[in-house]
Amino acid sequence: MSTQAVPGTAPVGARAARRARWRGLANVHAIRGAAGILAFLALWQIGVLLHLPVVAKVPAPLEVARAAAGLLHDPRYYVDWAVSFRRVAIGFVIAQVLGVPLGLVMGWKTTFRYVTFPIFEVLRPIPPLAWVPLSIVFWPTTEQSIIFVIFLGAFFTTVINTMSGVRALDDRYVRAAISLGASPATIFRRIIFPGALPSIFTGMAVGMGITWSVLVAAEIIAGRSGLGFFTWEAYVGGAFPTIIVGMVSIGVAGYLASSSIRLVAKRVMPWTSRL
Amino acid sequence: MSAGEGRLELRDVCVAFPSENGDTRVVDGCSFTLEPGKLSVMLGPSGCGKTTLINLIAGYQAPTSGTIALDGRAVTGPGADRLVVFQETALFPWMRVIDNVTFGPLSRGTLDAAGARERAATLLRKVGLDGFADRYPNQLSGGMQRRAELARAIINEPHLMLMDEPFRGLDAMTRELMQEHYLRLFEEQPRTNLFVTSELGEAIFLADHLLVMTHKPTRVKRVIDVDLPRPREFRMLTSPRFREIYEDALISLHEEGAKAFAGM
């Protein structure tokens, strides 16, 4: 009798067990992931050593590692990181600050949506890079035009995702809120906005991916700094291992940016993760 | 709650949708009165328009003709005097249980933050959710979600509670416990309740009156008084009187069920 579970303690035990299992899984996943990357690098190195077609022209991983090691002492390399991150951050944040409220209203107010949505449908398919020439003409500095193009890359995705998030919100929540006597302002703040948050974060994750691809291209076309320009400069200067360092850096930077969004999402929406 | 609050009157309520061969009437000439402080259970075959009636009374939908009035005031839209507990939970997933429960009084400003929290805590204890105030709805079982929803409605002191098959989809055991919980809340402070179900046993166990509805178009076929004493207990389910009412209601219900089955 004494070993019988007291109501309320059982879930706690189950939760601990689940957490332990998750931690175990995470380790397994990490080990498998690392093994995959090592195997990829090994194949690449072997391919270069065997002079396989196409692969032979690519610098071997060890050469790339040597180039990277050299760059670790070069302050300019870090400046390129900082410059790229700054551009992405500014463009992305402006896109959210303008795009989220706009998307919320577009989702909420039918008339407003009918008026504005066609504009988006026409502008959205224009690739952000097609804006570069106009952007250079329009904005006084290159820096501003690059940030503007990055902004565009994230903006449309943000607006569209936010809007669909509001529209996909189950009617019963709004009905319940109206029944409980909530004012339109309260409904907007406490029902529509949090209800659309999962979609908003999906939009942010997608938008963040777009900003990095746009950034690199914009830096190559118009920039004099940043990781994209760094990679291009390596190509122009014939430093082939450095090209790969630049590419990997951009990959890592994009990954860090997306991870931080996932991290923020988890913190802002505790209700989406169970227990 | 002063006496006389919570009298609901439906007079000749019709709901029609335009269709190929003229208007299709979902609800036709539906009239009934709910007495204050009584628990009425609406019974009918599934798809017979019970949810439509709930939506009308809640004010989510307007009738094509006829009038609906609560305590003499015509129903023109949703209001906190008539609250619905749905079959699917409508708890806000992004709010903790406590914030869900206090949402009504804080939105309307009828209680201050401290007062609302205190009242919510009392109600949560009553529905057996002590210690779950800081959970999110998806961390609760189906039965707990339904109880949290009851608390969220009751805190507003509605004159009329609309229960739209709230225990459907729960397992048999949980369902019985929910019926007991619900009855205890009702019997402690009787307010007008309209409870929709398609389970006859549940209906009789809970009800003061049964409203047996016709199948398409919906109107009241019969009102059956349930004179079992309160407080209700589960052993009443085997009493002779329970069985008499059961048989009587079953025959009426069966006729309508057969019509629904035949697709009429």
Side-chain angles (χ1 to χ4, degrees), chain A residues 11 15 169-170 172-183 186-187 190-192 194-196 270-275, chain B residues 55 58 60 78-80 82-83 86 88-96 99 103-104 107-108 135-136 138-140 152 156:
Chain A
R15 204 186 313 161
L169 191 61
D170 202 307
R172 62 180 189 234
Y173 299 129
V174 177
R175 278 183 168 192
I178 294 172
S179 273
L180 291 166
S183 64
T186 305
I187 290 174
R190 295 196 67 194
I191 309 295
I192 307 256
W271 67 88
T272 51
S273 49
R274 257 178 166 269
L275 299 173
Chain B
N55 284 339
Y60 296 143
R82 291 155 278 129
L83 289 179
F86 300 97
E88 282 172 273
T89 175
L91 291 170
F92 308 127
W94 46 87
M95 290 184 202
R96 293 170 195 277
D99 297 318
F103 184 84
S107 291
R108 294 195 315 286
R135 299 287 185 93
Y136 286 98
N138 75 349
Q139 298 171 329
L140 304 182
R152 182 174 77 171
N156 302 287

Side-chain angles (χ1 to χ4, degrees), chain B residues 175-192:
Chain B
R175 191 168 181 145
E176 284 177 12
L177 292 171
M178 284 300 295
Q179 291 166 1
E180 276 189 311
H181 252 293
Y182 171 65
L183 270 179
R184 211 177 309 146
L185 283 170
F186 169 76
E187 284 162 358
E188 208 171 273
Q189 189 184 8
R191 68 179 87 235
T192 319

Side-chain angles (χ1 to χ4, degrees), chain A residues 130-216:
Chain A
W131 288 82
V132 170
L134 179 69
S135 179
I136 293 173
V137 174
F138 186 72
W139 293 96
T141 71
T142 314
E143 194 62 20
Q144 283 167 350
S145 53
I146 291 176
I147 289 173
F148 177 68
V149 174
I150 290 166
F151 157 82
L152 286 174
F155 181 68
F156 291 109
T157 314
T158 296
V159 173
I160 299 296
N161 271 279
T162 306
M163 186 189 81
S164 359
V166 175
R167 298 195 63 195
L169 191 61
D170 202 307
D171 213 26
R172 62 180 189 234
Y173 299 129
V174 177
R175 278 183 168 192
I178 294 172
S179 273
L180 291 166
S183 64
T186 305
I187 290 174
F188 192 76
R189 197 169 46 85
R190 295 196 67 194
I191 309 295
I192 307 256
F193 177 61
L197 264 182
S199 263
I200 292 175
F201 275 108
T202 306
M204 284 189 188
V206 175
M208 188 50 102
I210 298 173
T211 54
W212 279 96
S213 52
V214 171
L215 169 88
V216 169

Side-chain angles (χ1 to χ4, degrees), chain A residues 175 179, chain B residues 8-17 25-32 34 42 48-70 73-79 81-84 86 160 162 164 194 196 213 218-219:
Chain A
R175 278 183 168 192
S179 273
Chain B
L8 181 80
E9 283 190 277
L10 273 77
R11 286 288 159 262
D12 271 326
V13 170
C14 295
V15 176
F17 294 106
R25 295 192 163 215
V26 188
V27 178
D28 192 13
C30 186
S31 301
F32 60 84
L34 301 183
M42 193 184 278
C48 85
K50 293 169 299 205
T51 296
T52 305
L53 277 170
I54 292 289
N55 284 339
L56 291 172
I57 299 168
Y60 296 143
Q61 193 182 333
T64 311
S65 65
T67 57
I68 302 171
L70 181 62
R73 288 186 306 276
V75 167
T76 52
D81 52 346
R82 291 155 278 129
L83 289 179
V84 192
F86 300 97
L160 173 62
L162 300 164
D164 189 7
L194 180 60
V196 173
M213 310 306 285
T218 304
R219 66 169 75 91

